[in-house]
């Protein structure tokens, strides 16, 4: 149970950087996340949750187009995983596991990652709440997009562009048009 609660607090801590979180069991502090207001503090929190190696291989992404905004960290393909254990996606501040989202991100990695490997990322997407039905799944982990193709293509193009710009020699990914 403690492990499940710990994972839940970690997901919450990733979803709301401006709030502090702590978890104690008895007299032992298990987690302690101070509020993170600056980019450096956010990166430190992400590293604390998903590991320093993740952050050492991560690219910061920020892209906005056609009513969608994506920010967060994508790991380089060389940091791919056998399992999807380091895939954290948040939609309008809510943790999400969705096939449209996963497919768009995976497609963005298609040309640079070995088959069977999983990308690692911590990504945050904002979209007009009227474009999303959050009642599609009892646990609210999946949603139904009004225009799933648009969301899929936005994620695909954003990830593909970020990775392409990195391999083209850019220090940081350039915003996509």
């Amino acid at each position: 149970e403690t492990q499940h609660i710990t994972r839940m607090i970690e997901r919450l801590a990733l979803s709301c950087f401006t709030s502090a979180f702590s978890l104690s069991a008895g007299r032992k502090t298990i987690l302690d996340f101070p509020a993170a207001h600056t980019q450096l503090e956010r990166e430190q929190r992400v590293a604390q949750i998903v590991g320093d190696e993740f952050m050492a291989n991560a690219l910061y992404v920020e892209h906005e187009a056609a009513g969608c905004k994506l920010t967060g960290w994508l790991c380089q393909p060389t940091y791919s995983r056998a399992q999807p254990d380091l895939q954290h996606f948040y939609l309008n501040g809510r943790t999400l596991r969705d096939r449209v989202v996963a497919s768009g991100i995976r497609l963005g990695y298609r040309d640079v990652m070995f088959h069977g490997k999983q990308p690692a990322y911590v990504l945050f997407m904002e979209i007009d709440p009227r474009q999303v039905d959050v009642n599609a799944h009892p646990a609210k982990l999946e949603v139904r997009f009004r225009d799933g193709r648009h969301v899929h293509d936005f994620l695909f193009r954003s990830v593909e562009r970020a990775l392409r710009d990195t391999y083209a020699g850019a220090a940081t990914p350039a915003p996509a048009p």
Side-chain angles (χ1 to χ4, degrees), residues 36 77 165:
D165 287 350

Side-chain angles (χ1 to χ4, degrees), residues 93-110:
R94 177 187 300 214
T95 190
L96 182 69
R97 291 194 186 277
D98 185 83
R99 282 179 263 171
V100 170
V101 168
S103 174
I105 294 170
R106 198 171 34 255
L107 193 60
Y109 274 93
R110 159 188 71 188

